[in-house]
Amino acid sequence: MSVSPMKTSSLTLPIGLAWPMVTAGLLAIFATYWDEAFHTDVGRDSAWAAPHLLLYGSVAVVGLGVAAWGVLVLHGTRSLRTTLSYRPVLAAGLGALIALIAAPIDAAWHVAYGRDAVLWSPPHMLVVFASITLTLGILAGLPPRARVLAIAGSVLLLANAETVVFEYEADVPQFTEVLYLPILLLSLLLVALAVGRLVDGRAPVARVVFGYIAARLAITAVLALMGRSTPDLPIAVLGLAVWDLPLRSTTHKALAAATAVAGLAWIASLNDLASQPASALAITAVPFAMALIAALLLTPRRTYAIAAVVALGVSLPLLHQERAEAHDPGQGEAVTAVDLSATVSERKMNVTATPAGHCDDLRPSRLVARRAGDTITGALTQLVSTSRGSCSFVGQLAVPADGRWFTYVEFSHNGEPVEAWLPLDAGNDDTLTQTRELYRPTGAGDSIGLAQASYGSVIYLAGFALLILGLTTARHAGTGQLRR
């Protein structure tokens, strides 16, 4: 394979085209947090809800921008083969294409295995991988003089990578919270590696980190003004700025930054500034702190061994995942409306459900609270009716930890299960009253079949391959060369 240089003027992404793409990408990040808050506060929404429309419109702008860039490169090079061989265009184009294809894949997945709201489902993660790869392609294609734009694009890159754990930071965890910090660290370190290659100037990672913090503060402020639930402030991400310190190797930079991120996450949790329990974070934070001390004292060769041991230890929690079952896992056909009223005091939850009719064919089953793989159950009983045609059901349970618990009232209706839920914060004494739908749940059940596991693995492998393409593109950025 030979390599020949090309004039960058015919290849680079025009600044006038890149700014709308990056801006639209950041709006899509806001739409993602807005949609999550809507699901938490209100429940399932339609495809034409405002957060969805903003997301669709933003993605369309980015996709059209990538297509226009490809046409400009094709016009400048006069060769389709040369255009497709240019890594930034290839990464951005495939990222945009796969993000588009992921929509029908997701629809087919739900038809086959039930509707869900789990971020880590294979089709959802395929969108995340595609978005990261698309952003890496955009950054790699920017002209060298676009330094401010490179920072803005890198903020978008960090935001896309952070969406991997945004359910934890939005206090709607659907897997064990031990997984949060390892996944966060892996995502942040990959971003730091890419930013170090893609952004010129002093302290590139720190500048991107502070830009991202500003973006997240803006998202939180807007959601608060809208009266929606807000995510945790990304205090831990500040630790990634340590990457820019003049340490002697990339391994030392990675260990130092990871230790700072883990330490800040732990401190934030201990001071009730984060929704993850400190005990779950300590499993990762403590080994990284010990490894950094050892790495600073040992020779460079032994540092690599220390890093490998830490990586292995931190990856062990990934081998055990509790089944996700919370936050609207599968809301199917509605049976009737139900008024739900709940009081929370010292982690004790009292719930009253008053359905609109159906008193003769509803049988109470149980009250259930779910969070991060934990399931707490209590009795649900019918109150004596005070008027003809009306009925109420009450239940009580106590949960073992603070945080948002999705609390379900479950019934039997004509022999079929039906349910409704409320998000209740066990850490705050409060009263919540809402009208929700009593619906028939849909889903794959308690186990994952061989076909679902196989198809999911294929989708994840495709996502990882896409991510590798993006990271490789970042690694070769600035060479001004095409593969032949």
Side-chain angles (χ1 to χ4, degrees), residues 356-442:
H358 291 275
C359 293
D360 295 334
D361 52 18
L362 279 178
R363 299 292 179 268
S365 298
R366 61 177 183 169
L367 182 67
V368 184
R370 298 186 175 103
R371 176 184 171 87
D374 291 332
T375 300
I376 309 299
T377 62
L380 185 66
T381 58
Q382 184 172 358
L383 291 174
V384 177
S385 178
T386 58
S387 62
R388 186 175 181 180
S390 66
C391 54
S392 293
F393 303 84
V394 296
Q396 182 186 78
L397 51 76
V399 295
D402 294 340
R404 182 180 286 122
W405 290 76
F406 287 86
T407 307
Y408 294 72
V409 288
E410 296 183 351
F411 298 87
S412 173
H413 175 254
N414 294 331
E416 295 181 344
V418 293
E419 65 186 25
W421 56 271
L422 281 178
L424 301 178
D425 188 349
N428 295 314
D429 294 352
D430 197 8
T431 299
L432 180 65
T433 300
Q434 289 187 6
T435 299
R436 296 265 180 157
E437 290 182 345
L438 196 62
Y439 61 86
R440 295 184 177 91
T442 63

Side-chain angles (χ1 to χ4, degrees), residues 3 20 37 41 49 75 109 114 178 213 260 300 314 330 357 370 399 401:
V3 180
D41 299 335
H75 177 74
W109 182 272
V178 172
I213 296 296
V314 171
R370 298 186 175 103
V399 295

Side-chain angles (χ1 to χ4, degrees), residues 30 34 215-230:
F30 168 73
W34 184 11
R216 283 288 299 272
L217 287 173
I219 290 173
T220 298
V222 173
L223 290 177
L225 289 173
M226 297 171 67
R228 293 285 172 237
S229 295
T230 57

Side-chain angles (χ1 to χ4, degrees), residues 289-341:
M290 297 175 64
L292 178 62
I293 294 172
L296 294 175
L297 296 175
L298 296 174
T299 61
R301 288 185 178 180
R302 293 183 179 179
T303 297
Y304 293 109
I306 291 291
V309 171
V310 172
L312 177 62
V314 171
S315 67
L316 291 179
L318 305 181
L319 301 178
H320 177 67
Q321 295 187 14
E322 297 289 344
R323 174 174 178 263
E325 188 177 13
H327 195 210
D328 185 16
Q331 184 168 326
E333 180 186 356
V335 173
T336 187
V338 58
D339 293 330
L340 296 177
S341 178

Side-chain angles (χ1 to χ4, degrees), residues 118 120 168 174-176 179 183 315-324 372-373 448 460:
V118 181
W120 289 355
Y168 288 101
Q174 302 194 61
F175 295 93
T176 172
L179 296 176
I183 297 295
S315 67
L316 291 179
L318 305 181
L319 301 178
H320 177 67
Q321 295 187 14
E322 297 289 344
R323 174 174 178 263
I448 297 176
Y460 258 100

Side-chain angles (χ1 to χ4, degrees), residues 181-335:
L181 196 49
I183 297 295
L184 175 66
L185 290 176
L186 178 61
S187 302
L188 294 184
L189 294 179
L190 287 177
V191 168
L193 282 169
V195 168
R197 181 65 179 170
L198 295 167
V199 179
D200 292 331
R202 302 177 65 177
V205 176
R207 286 184 287 157
V208 171
V209 164
F210 289 117
Y212 173 71
I213 296 296
R216 283 288 299 272
L217 287 173
I219 290 173
T220 298
V222 173
L223 290 177
L225 289 173
M226 297 171 67
R228 293 285 172 237
S229 295
T230 57
D232 296 339
L233 294 177
I235 295 173
V237 179
L238 287 168
L240 191 64
V242 171
W243 183 280
D244 289 326
L245 293 178
L247 300 175
R248 58 190 178 188
S249 71
T250 302
T251 303
H252 284 88
K253 286 177 173 288
L255 280 174
T259 302
V261 170
L264 285 176
W266 195 12
I267 291 171
S269 179
L270 288 171
N271 289 275
D272 295 326
L273 298 175
S275 54
Q276 303 81 38
S279 58
L281 301 180
I283 295 175
T284 299
V286 172
F288 264 104
M290 297 175 64
L292 178 62
I293 294 172
L296 294 175
L297 296 175
L298 296 174
T299 61
R301 288 185 178 180
R302 293 183 179 179
T303 297
Y304 293 109
I306 291 291
V309 171
V310 172
L312 177 62
V314 171
S315 67
L316 291 179
L318 305 181
L319 301 178
H320 177 67
Q321 295 187 14
E322 297 289 344
R323 174 174 178 263
E325 188 177 13
H327 195 210
D328 185 16
Q331 184 168 326
E333 180 186 356
V335 173

Side-chain angles (χ1 to χ4, degrees), residues 113 323 443-450 452-453:
Y113 306 115
R323 174 174 178 263
D446 293 333
S447 60
I448 297 176
L450 178 60
Q452 183 178 357

